[in-house]
Amino acid sequence: MIAPLLSRFSAIPYFSLILGVGCFGILTALSWRAAPLFKTAERLLRRADEMPRASLAVVAAFSLAISAALVATLGLPKPNVHDEFSYLLAADTFAHGRLTNPTHPQWMYFESEHIIHQPTYMSKYPPGQGLALALGQKLAGLPIIGAWLSVALGCSALAWMLMAWLPPRQAILGGLLSALHPMIIAWTYNYRGGGVAFAGGALLYGSVARTLQRPKVSTSVLIGLGLAMLANSRPFEGLLISIPPGILLLRYLAQRCVRKLGLPWATLIAPLLCVLSLTAAGMAYYNFRVTGNALRLPYVVHEQTYSMAPMFVWQKPREIEYRNKQLHDFHDWQLGYYRRQLGAAGFLRESALKFRELVKAYFCPFLLFFPLLAALRSAWSDRETRLLAMAAALTAPAPWTPS
């Protein structure tokens, strides 16, 4: 009954809203009428202090359960955005044991958005999301399973990251609530989601926080793994969010030198350099196979071949001749977006629109009402549960305007 009434993406905020309201409603009802049951649930959450690793598995299982429930409600997602078809091309290529595909003899008749045909036939995007989808295709014959797994890893990694600052029970709550966020749920229901970058960022920040306390080989390897996941999923954004932890690590090393403690070569520098070297070598080889140049990204090849609009606002647009009207119209639309950002007034106006979309996607006072209401109940009167309610208010924002 629900699936025919709601479109693919407009249904996700409602789905998340139902889940969020249901969870908080149940907790509120328990606090009012069934305090013993609520206390039992609270005791289970407290066990996260005793079994943090098992609790991380529970977070991942919770995320997978939400993904399965969404598919059971709306059916398997169908790709309907240009980017998704590009990612699925990469996934199918990797699932068949190839890094790229030979150019079709009549390639000029098969040009499409976000795909390159010369020197090889492949997606323009970094391989991270394609590898995740390929994993799902190999394991279950469904690429979307790879999106589920990457998001589940991200939610679990977020909880692990929070454990560097919060008690395990509150960190686990943060991981569970992240799985309810409509943006996160949407990533499990399309083929262009950000699960890989989500997991990579959480691993990076959680590892750096632990390294600043005590360097260990395991956390250093995870720093490198987080950077590798960011570089192979969202390289530009990954570079930006890697700057703060990078500064903290450099500051930490400088302080050790000032105190004459020596550099942690065995526990930090050597393992990190090893992982980063392997990552750089793998990326260079992938670029070489796809573009013929180890230092030339497929994304750059695509933009120079097809995109009239430059990647940055300070660059100049390109003159490009297209072989079909659809490609021209698509890239002309992108060029119009670039032109609207020219000049100080245009840049500020478009930045304000981006900020509005960001707020709409991540913050919503409507859902914040429920954890705050629950925090006022007498059953939630102790200080620790008030902190949990505050964590819920901060980590369960969601948009209430379906798009």
Side-chain angles (χ1 to χ4, degrees):
M1 294 293 293
I2 298 177
L5 299 176
L6 299 176
S7 66
R8 175 186 175 189
F9 290 109
S10 65
I12 291 175
Y14 290 109
F15 185 83
S16 176
L17 180 68
I18 292 170
L19 285 174
V21 171
C23 289
F24 286 117
I26 291 172
L27 291 177
T28 304
L30 288 175
S31 68
W32 281 345
R33 299 175 181 269
L37 290 177
F38 180 76
K39 290 179 179 178
T40 300
E42 186 177 7
R43 282 197 297 270
L44 291 176
L45 187 59
R46 289 178 185 273
R47 297 196 66 180
D49 293 331
E50 304 170 6
M51 301 182 298
R53 293 184 180 179
S55 301
L56 294 177
V58 171
V59 172
F62 182 64
S63 174
L64 291 172
I66 292 176
S67 303
L70 184 60
V71 167
T73 303
L74 301 179
L76 285 171
K78 297 180 181 180
N80 63 357
V81 179
H82 305 136
D83 311 60
E84 295 182 276
F85 291 98
S86 179
Y87 281 120
L88 286 172
L89 169 62
D92 191 65
T93 301
F94 298 145
H96 285 85
R98 300 188 301 270
L99 291 179
T100 189
N101 305 281
T103 300
H104 193 278
Q106 303 296 322
W107 63 269
M108 64 285 298
Y109 300 107
F110 297 97
E111 290 179 302
S112 184
E113 291 85 353
H114 311 306
I115 291 172
I116 64 171
H117 289 267
Q118 295 288 344
T120 61
Y121 174 47
M122 190 53 180
S123 167
K124 76 171 186 179
Y125 290 113
Q129 179 71 4
L131 287 171
L133 298 177
L135 177 63
Q137 184 170 328
K138 292 295 288 185
L139 291 178
L142 296 172
I144 196 63
I145 299 297
W148 293 10
L149 293 173
S150 63
V151 168
L153 175 62
C155 293
S156 185
L158 176 66
W160 178 79
M161 179 196 76
L162 292 174
M163 286 181 184
W165 295 284
L166 300 173
R169 73 194 75 162
Q170 297 180 23
I172 293 301
L173 181 62
L176 293 172
L177 291 172
S178 71
L180 291 170
H181 196 293
M183 182 69 71
I184 306 299
I185 294 176
W187 288 345
T188 70
Y189 202 67
N190 67 64
Y191 301 95
R192 59 189 178 97
V196 177
F198 175 34
L203 288 176
L204 172 62
Y205 275 73
S207 301
V208 168
R210 289 166 172 80
T211 298
L212 297 178
Q213 299 170 6
R214 181 188 173 190
K216 294 195 299 185
V217 173
S218 58
T219 53
S220 301
V221 169
L222 288 176
I223 291 175
L225 180 60
L227 289 170
M229 295 174 72
L230 289 170
N232 286 281
S233 56
R234 297 288 192 272
F236 178 70
E237 297 88 340
L239 173 64
L240 294 180
I241 70 166
S242 299
I243 293 175
I247 293 174
L248 290 177
L249 279 179
L250 292 175
R251 180 173 175 267
Y252 169 75
L253 295 176
Q255 288 177 341
R256 287 184 64 98
C257 291
V258 170
R259 296 172 185 173
K260 298 182 179 180
L261 298 176
L263 295 176
W265 288 98
T267 56
L268 174 58
I269 298 176
L272 180 57
L273 288 178
C274 182
V275 176
L276 294 182
S277 297
L278 291 174
T279 300
M283 294 175 65
Y285 181 68
Y286 176 76
N287 292 338
F288 175 75
R289 290 294 305 274
V290 177
T291 69
N293 186 333
L295 301 178
R296 197 178 187 205
L297 299 172
Y299 199 104
V300 174
V301 172
H302 177 275
E303 297 304 291
Q304 292 177 345
T305 304
Y306 293 107
S307 181
M308 292 185 286
M311 288 184 282
F312 298 101
V313 70
W314 58 82
Q315 296 176 321
K316 300 296 184 181
R318 289 176 284 266
E319 293 290 337
I320 295 177
E321 294 184 6
Y322 296 96
R323 297 176 184 84
N324 64 70
K325 183 178 184 299
Q326 289 74 22
L327 273 181
H328 173 271
D329 291 345
F330 175 76
H331 290 284
D332 186 61
W333 167 77
Q334 286 189 327
L335 183 62
Y337 185 75
Y338 159 79
R339 286 172 174 164
R340 288 198 299 272
Q341 300 181 78
L342 296 179
F347 182 79
L348 292 175
R349 180 181 63 252
E350 293 300 316
S351 297
L353 292 175
K354 292 177 184 178
F355 181 75
R356 187 186 69 179
E357 291 300 313
L358 182 68
V359 171
K360 185 173 71 173
Y362 287 99
F363 301 97
C364 175
F366 183 77
L367 282 187
L368 302 188
F369 173 77
F370 292 95
L372 292 176
L373 175 64
L376 296 176
R377 303 309 307 166
S378 58
W380 286 39
S381 59
D382 63 286
R383 177 177 178 273
E384 200 165 56
T385 48
R386 283 201 304 269
L387 290 175
L388 290 178
M390 291 173 63
L394 291 173
T395 57
W400 176 233
T401 48
S403 55

